[in-house]
Amino acid sequence: MIKQTKSTCCYCGVGCGVIIHSDDNVIVDVKGDTDHPANFGRLCTKGSTLHLTAKLDNRLLYPELRTERTAKRTRASWDESLDFAADKFAQTISQHGPDSVAFYISGQLLTEDYYVFNKLAKGLIGTNNVDSNSRLCMSSAVAGYKATLGSDAPPACYEDIDHTNCLMIAGSNTAFAHPIIFRRIEDAKSRNPDLKIIVVDPRRTDTASSADLHLAILPGTDVALFNGMLHVLLWEGLLDNAFIKAHTAGFEALKDTVREYTPKMVADICGIKESDIVTAAKWFGQGPSLSMYCMGLNQSIHGTDKNAALINLHLATGQIGKPGAGPFSLTGQPNAMGGREVGGMANLMSGHRDLGNAEHRAEIASLWGVDSVPEKAGKTAVEMFEAVKSGEIKAIWIACTNPAHSMPDLNNVLESLGNAELVVVQDAFNNTSTAQYADVLLPASTWGEKEGSVTNSERRITRVNPAVMPPAEARHDWAIMVDFAQRLEKRLGKTTTLFPYAATEDIFNEHRETTRGRDLDITGLSYKLLNEQGPQQWPFKAGDATGKVRLYADGVFATADGKAKFINTSYQPTADRIDARYPLHLLTGRLRDQWHGMSRTGTVAQLFNHVEEPFIYMNQDDMSRRLIKDGDIVKVSNKRGSLILPVKASDDIQVTQTYIPMHWSSEFMNGLGVNAMMPSAYDKTSKQPELKHTAIKIEKMALPWRMTVMRSITDLSSLQQLRSLMKGFDYATCGLFGRQQHGYAGMLVFKAAHSEAPDNALIAEIDGILGMTDGMPLLNYQDDKRGISKRILVEDSGNDKKVTGVRLVGETLATAWLKEIMSSGEFTDDLRKWALAPLSTPPAGQPGRGKVVCNCFNVSENEIIDAVSRGADLITLQNKLKCGTECGSCVPELKKLVNFYGRLK
């Protein structure tokens, strides 16, 4: 019998509600929860395929242990693993002090998990060396809110999208990063055509293409833009002087600064039109105005100033605390907000308390029943790995995150992990880059199995219920840490435990008590209420019937005097600047259908159909100057690292700028990924590193030898085996395509290029992995003189013949059409005659499908273009092809295709 369980999506901070369908402890489907106020039933491409990730192919199922760094990890019991870890931590603390150990955790943990980690480090061990990968995405937003409004509390909510007249999206490709919010923006625009949408982004993203005004500023110039807009507001008389006088402080100093930021000066700094700056300011000043912002502001050495400069605009115009108005940071991870609530970062404590505040430390010590909480701030993410490298931190515990992919200056981070005396990794997956450095590897539960709570971008807490039991020996993150903590307590001579938790609810109730009287007071919430009445926004005090939809409606802010503070911000350049040696900007961002390091989404074949492999995107003018053509392989490098990958021309990229998505890493390509080149320089206040921008050079590579391998697969074992071979080539990438179905994992694709032909033994090894050896029903072509070798595996499929494997060595022209034959076509006798020929198009001359634009209904770009060329508009496409009618993630791209090809009719 199918069981239905309410939970949440585990990807971005929108916090979409999901209903998980399970049968006999197996997740079989997922649907959007129509009752959840974050999404009202909608899911994006990633969320709607969550059930396809609920498989064991890449799950970590049993603890693994090595007691010597040079040994190989082997399967161990939980007792062996946790006793070893507890012994090592206790010895290290005894010999070198509490600050010789550290915990690096994740915004994908549940609030209860986070709470135990925080209490373990700060309450038991006595170190503040507990930081989160939220440091890499949200700490500048936190610092910006606290500096201006006094508290880390987003004042707006999703409902404000429906009430605003001016929406400014800054440093966020919302259409890709927060698709369900973007669906709501599209709906608001449809209902209110007068709604003005401003997008601030160097690239012409899908979000920017949908804007009324795209401010394509030069990288890192956001503060100049916001100061310039404030200059216009000042001189156009669009300020709310009564609000400024009654509810703010510090405006006079800022006013003196922004007088210099004339539209002409700002236009020169930002590389945009003076008139566009004036237009944006006037639209914003008329209000109600809502701003949404994310990594483009946060991931910067001036991230706090960027956030504050944008919030200055809201304070100066009184656009805060009322419907349709306010500065609204979009949370990157599903529970980065919950982690901040419990103080799961090196400078915070539970209940939005600060380590630097003695009264706050005393409150937490009393609540926890300990003598004191350490005063010294802990190491933040970049600092933490630097301390591991230097030996200051001897042992590090990493949970639910992959710093060997996500941190900046990756070569330095890998050296740190290799230098540690002890690395414990706690994760649900066995395929992360970080796992290979683990001395102790612990299997954790994951989406669909976990129990607890999460908080989304609009301060809304949702109860997470488990649909199935964790597989094999996997345990919940909080349970792992409680077990470890109790063992460590004994070794540290403690006679009573700080961790008496028998169930997740015990932890929630203790966390709830730490919020009493604080700005995020949730003393009116309980698991029972959340299950019965659904998700609730904080604050939700005891006796309240509902949470607070918007903050600061009364003009009273969370500061000592109740007044918001203007921050006197000035424009400063990026950490890396282009010059003669490194003449190109490199920007990073997201893909529509992938998430972070792809440990989960990278197992779903159809999520590769929109973008199958890593590229560097360049402006055609820059390519022409360097004699680079579309598809050429180049080396991208700077002083920190390099990547070898193909080029793709893009009109969305400005001259002197390039773009590489952040998802690709050593699990999917021969190379560490784009973060290897990113600087470890960070904001002085938030300590958030500048992960969005660096300066690079590009060199065209001469790699004449090419290979393409494609194979239908039922599980991911062959994919994992092929990935181990990528380092044998100058360029290599390995991923999936097609569509996952019952008992069928899709198709793998492995591409490689090299300066010379590799040894034949390597090709034979690949054939063996693929099951394409002699004796199989193969079409063969061998030309030893020219170094060309081709194999095509043709198997019976009912009454038809199907191509289930392709291996092209030395010449790969037929890759695209053979891929389409594998995906959806019958292998006819006519095609069979030409399958081994050096043809870039099928012999019948029919065009290929092109990339898949709509993943929900498998609708390709060329099908859409054909329909548009015959007169179809967006509504016709949706009615005829069904594209854009399910999750809606492809709608911005459909609009672009309609606008472009519709003009060519």
Side-chain angles (χ1 to χ4, degrees):
M1 179 180 293
I2 299 295
K3 181 180 75 170
Q4 296 188 12
T5 306
K6 288 199 171 189
S7 187
T8 59
C9 177
C10 59
Y11 292 124
C12 75
V14 175
C16 294
V18 298
I19 298 176
I20 304 171
H21 296 178
S22 58
D23 185 16
D24 194 21
N25 205 48
V26 175
I27 293 174
V28 295
D29 196 14
V30 63
K31 299 295 182 184
D33 183 353
T34 55
D35 295 329
H36 199 291
N39 60 314
F40 298 108
R42 284 173 161 171
L43 293 176
C44 71
T45 55
K46 299 180 288 291
S48 61
T49 55
L50 265 170
H51 60 293
L52 300 179
T53 71
K55 51 193 175 185
L56 303 185
D57 293 37
N58 66 332
R59 285 295 299 273
L60 185 60
L61 300 175
Y62 305 97
E64 296 178 10
L65 173 65
R66 63 182 179 197
T67 57
E68 298 291 339
R69 177 53 63 91
T70 55
K72 183 179 180 180
R73 276 196 321 269
T74 57
R75 180 173 167 179
S77 69
W78 274 103
D79 283 339
E80 288 176 303
S81 302
L82 292 180
D83 279 341
F84 177 78
D87 286 341
K88 294 288 285 185
F89 264 70
Q91 292 166 12
T92 303
I93 293 165
S94 175
Q95 294 174 16
H96 305 285
D99 289 336
S100 63
V101 302
F103 299 87
Y104 187 64
I105 53 181
S106 167
Q108 293 169 68
L109 293 170
L110 303 190
T111 301
E112 293 79 359
D113 303 325
Y114 245 120
Y115 186 88
V116 175
F117 271 104
N118 191 48
K119 189 177 184 182
L120 166 63
K122 297 169 183 174
L124 173 60
I125 296 174
T127 181
N128 289 317
N129 285 343
V130 53
D131 210 42
S132 165
N133 60 13
S134 296
R135 182 72 58 185
L136 308 181
C137 65
M138 296 308 300
S139 54
S140 288
V142 173
Y145 276 141
K146 291 175 72 173
T148 54
L149 310 182
S151 174
D152 173 21
C157 61
Y158 299 155
E159 184 183 292
D160 287 316
I161 298 169
D162 306 325
H163 299 291
T164 191
N165 282 332
C166 176
L167 172 61
M168 183 160 72
I169 301 173
S172 169
N173 184 10
T174 316
F176 279 19
H178 299 91
I180 299 307
I181 287 180
F182 199 73
R183 301 286 81 75
R184 193 157 183 167
I185 293 170
E186 290 172 328
D187 291 346
K189 180 70 171 178
S190 177
R191 289 191 301 269
N192 177 18
D194 292 331
L195 166 62
K196 301 301 183 184
I197 300 176
I198 305 166
V199 173
V200 183
D201 198 309
R203 295 189 297 127
R204 192 175 65 200
T205 63
D206 275 16
T207 307
S209 296
S210 301
D212 296 287
L213 178 62
H214 175 206
L215 300 176
I217 63 172
L218 292 172
T221 59
D222 308 79
V223 170
L225 172 65
F226 301 146
N227 281 1
M229 290 176 63
L230 186 52
H231 175 102
V232 174
L233 291 167
L234 179 65
W235 290 106
E236 292 288 336
L238 292 172
L239 302 185
D240 188 334
N241 291 303
F243 182 89
I244 292 171
K245 183 177 180 180
H247 302 296
T248 73
F251 183 66
E252 290 303 315
L254 176 61
K255 184 165 69 172
D256 288 341
T257 296
V258 300
R259 288 183 192 276
E260 301 177 10
Y261 284 81
T262 64
K264 174 64 171 66
M265 172 184 168
V266 172
D268 290 342
I269 293 172
C270 296
I272 56 178
K273 297 177 182 177
E274 292 181 55
S275 58
D276 286 347
I277 299 166
V278 174
T279 298
K282 288 182 176 180
W283 286 353
F284 190 96
Q286 289 164 5
S289 297
L290 179 70
S291 62
M292 291 181 163
Y293 46 98
C294 201
M295 302 310 161
L297 298 195
N298 295 341
Q299 291 179 331
S300 164
I301 59 169
H302 308 297
T304 302
D305 281 351
K306 289 181 179 182
N307 277 261
L310 179 53
I311 295 171
N312 285 342
L313 292 176
H314 286 274
L315 297 177
T317 55
Q319 300 291 341
I320 189 170
K322 55 189 179 184
F328 194 0
S329 67
L330 299 177
T331 309
Q333 295 186 90
N335 199 35
M337 183 78 76
R340 287 140 59 185
E341 291 163 9
V342 303
M345 299 179 81
N347 59 319
L348 303 177
M349 289 186 299
S350 294
H352 281 180
R353 292 174 175 87
D354 289 321
L355 279 170
N357 187 312
E359 184 178 340
H360 287 182
R361 294 196 304 274
E363 288 171 355
I364 290 299
S366 175
L367 285 164
W368 284 349
V370 298
D371 293 335
S372 63
V373 174
E375 177 180 351
K376 178 184 175 184
K379 301 290 188 185
T380 59
V382 173
E383 297 169 321
M384 185 178 289
F385 286 95
E386 287 288 353
V388 172
K389 181 180 177 181
S390 70
E392 182 182 351
I393 292 175
K394 312 289 184 183
I396 184 168
W397 194 300
I398 300 167
C400 197
T401 186
N402 187 17
H405 168 218
S406 59
M407 289 288 291
D409 195 4
L410 278 178
N411 285 294
N412 193 50
V413 172
L414 299 189
E415 186 178 346
S416 299
L417 290 169
N419 190 56
E421 293 184 9
L422 177 70
V423 177
V424 181
V425 174
Q426 177 175 321
D427 209 312
F429 302 104
N430 63 14
N431 63 340
T432 69
S433 303
T434 304
Q436 64 184 294
Y437 293 91
D439 302 298
V440 184
L441 190 58
L442 303 175
S445 59
T446 187
W447 176 84
E449 304 156 8
K450 294 175 74 69
E451 179 189 19
S453 60
V454 296
T455 310
N456 74 354
S457 291
E458 61 170 354
R459 298 172 281 105
R460 190 178 298 277
I461 298 173
T462 300
R463 175 86 163 92
V464 176
N465 294 294
V468 297
M469 296 291 290
E473 294 184 13
R475 294 183 180 180
H476 297 313
D477 289 285
W478 71 266
I480 296 171
M481 297 319 299
V482 166
D483 193 346
F484 170 75
Q486 291 174 349
R487 294 170 195 257
L488 185 59
E489 283 175 322
K490 294 176 182 177
R491 288 159 174 80
L492 296 179
K494 307 296 183 181
T495 56
T496 58
T497 184
L498 294 175
F499 306 90
Y501 315 120
T504 316
E505 189 169 10
D506 298 337
I507 307 169
F508 177 86
N509 291 342
E510 185 175 314
H511 156 57
R512 179 180 63 193
E513 187 58 32
T514 71
T515 71
R516 186 177 297 275
R518 304 291 299 164
D519 66 299
L520 70 164
D521 192 322
I522 58 168
T523 50
L525 291 182
S526 65
Y527 274 8
K528 183 176 185 294
L529 186 147
L530 290 171
N531 276 331
E532 292 178 354
Q533 299 184 29
Q536 303 294 326
Q537 288 173 282
W538 60 252
F540 195 117
K541 301 176 184 179
D544 286 350
T546 62
K548 188 170 288 188
V549 176
R550 294 174 190 86
L551 304 182
Y552 314 127
D554 57 1
V556 178
F557 294 88
T559 57
D561 61 2
K563 292 188 174 184
K565 312 299 180 188
F566 284 98
I567 304 301
N568 193 0
T569 58
S570 296
Y571 162 68
Q572 298 292 327
T574 54
D576 287 349
R577 307 183 204 183
I578 60 173
D579 55 25
R581 186 176 180 188
Y582 300 112
L584 294 170
H585 299 278
L586 173 60
L587 309 176
T588 68
R590 298 179 182 272
L591 295 172
R592 189 190 75 185
D593 296 345
Q594 297 293 350
W595 173 252
H596 282 199
M598 300 164 59
S599 55
R600 185 186 299 275
T601 55
T603 68
V604 180
Q606 64 207 60
L607 295 182
F608 287 81
N609 291 343
H610 190 242
V611 178
E612 180 184 293
E613 61 185 296
F615 292 97
I616 181 168
Y617 297 85
M618 290 184 71
N619 184 281
Q620 184 63 62
D621 288 348
D622 287 322
M623 292 171 61
S624 298
R625 291 190 195 99
R626 292 164 175 80
L627 303 179
I628 295 173
K629 302 187 299 297
D630 209 50
D632 282 350
I633 295 177
V634 298
K635 181 178 181 180
V636 184
S637 63
N638 63 11
K639 57 189 175 183
R640 285 175 289 272
S642 64
L643 282 178
I644 295 176
L645 71 174
V647 172
K648 185 175 281 293
S650 173
D651 294 335
D652 299 336
I653 310 296
Q654 297 187 65
V655 175
T656 76
Q657 296 178 22
T658 63
Y659 171 71
I660 300 177
M662 50 81 75
H663 310 284
W664 306 108
S665 65
S666 57
E667 286 93 56
F668 298 91
M669 64 187 299
N670 181 17
L672 296 178
V674 69
N675 284 349
M677 292 177 282
M678 290 295 149
S680 57
Y682 51 75
D683 182 286
K684 64 182 184 298
T685 302
S686 69
K687 304 293 182 73
Q688 181 162 355
E690 186 157 278
L691 281 164
K692 294 292 289 185
H693 174 269
T694 188
I696 58 158
K697 63 180 178 181
I698 286 183
E699 305 164 81
K700 186 175 178 179
M701 299 289 289
L703 301 177
W705 184 89
R706 302 292 174 96
M707 176 178 71
T708 297
V709 169
M710 298 179 285
R711 184 70 164 97
S712 301
I713 55 175
T714 56
D715 59 49
L716 301 181
S717 58
S718 54
L719 184 72
Q720 292 165 350
Q721 292 178 68
L722 284 180
R723 284 175 177 164
S724 68
L725 303 179
M726 288 192 295
K727 290 185 178 179
F729 304 96
D730 292 323
Y731 162 76
T733 180
C734 190
L736 298 168
F737 68 95
R739 299 185 77 79
Q740 183 174 330
Q741 300 170 4
H742 180 68
Y744 177 63
M747 288 165 275
L748 68 79
V749 56
F750 181 96
K751 294 182 180 180
H754 205 59
S755 56
E756 59 185 9
D759 191 280
N760 287 335
L762 181 57
I763 306 302
E765 183 179 359
I766 291 172
D767 286 344
I769 292 171
L770 298 175
M772 293 178 62
T773 55
D774 294 338
M776 298 294 290
L778 294 168
L779 301 181
N780 276 296
Y781 177 83
Q782 190 76 26
D783 186 340
D784 293 332
K785 187 175 182 180
R786 293 195 297 153
I788 297 174
S789 173
K790 301 182 182 182
R791 287 190 168 185
I792 298 178
L793 180 60
V794 185
E795 299 183 276
D796 289 327
S797 175
N799 297 323
D800 299 323
K801 297 287 186 179
K802 294 282 291 184
V803 174
T804 59
V806 172
R807 194 264 284 148
L808 307 176
V809 169
E811 184 271 294
T812 60
L813 285 174
T815 294
W817 69 268
L818 286 174
K819 174 188 165 189
E820 292 194 5
I821 293 297
M822 286 186 68
S823 298
S824 57
E826 179 187 351
F827 195 55
T828 64
D829 288 339
D830 285 341
L831 290 172
R832 184 186 186 98
K833 296 174 184 176
W834 296 97
L836 297 171
L839 299 176
S840 58
T841 58
Q846 61 265 44
R849 298 184 73 228
K851 73 173 183 179
V852 172
V853 173
C854 174
N855 249 327
C856 297
F857 291 103
N858 197 28
V859 183
S860 72
E861 185 175 58
N862 286 344
E863 291 171 294
I864 295 165
I865 292 171
D866 179 63
V868 173
S869 67
R870 288 185 280 109
D873 57 11
L874 176 62
I875 295 175
T876 305
L877 289 175
Q878 291 175 317
N879 290 334
K880 183 177 181 181
L881 302 179
K882 303 301 181 185
C883 49
T885 61
E886 185 73 11
C887 78
S889 296
C890 63
V891 169
E893 192 164 351
L894 294 177
K895 290 179 179 178
K896 288 170 67 175
L897 292 171
V898 168
N899 289 337
F900 182 78
Y901 289 97
R903 291 198 303 267
L904 298 181
K905 287 187 298 181

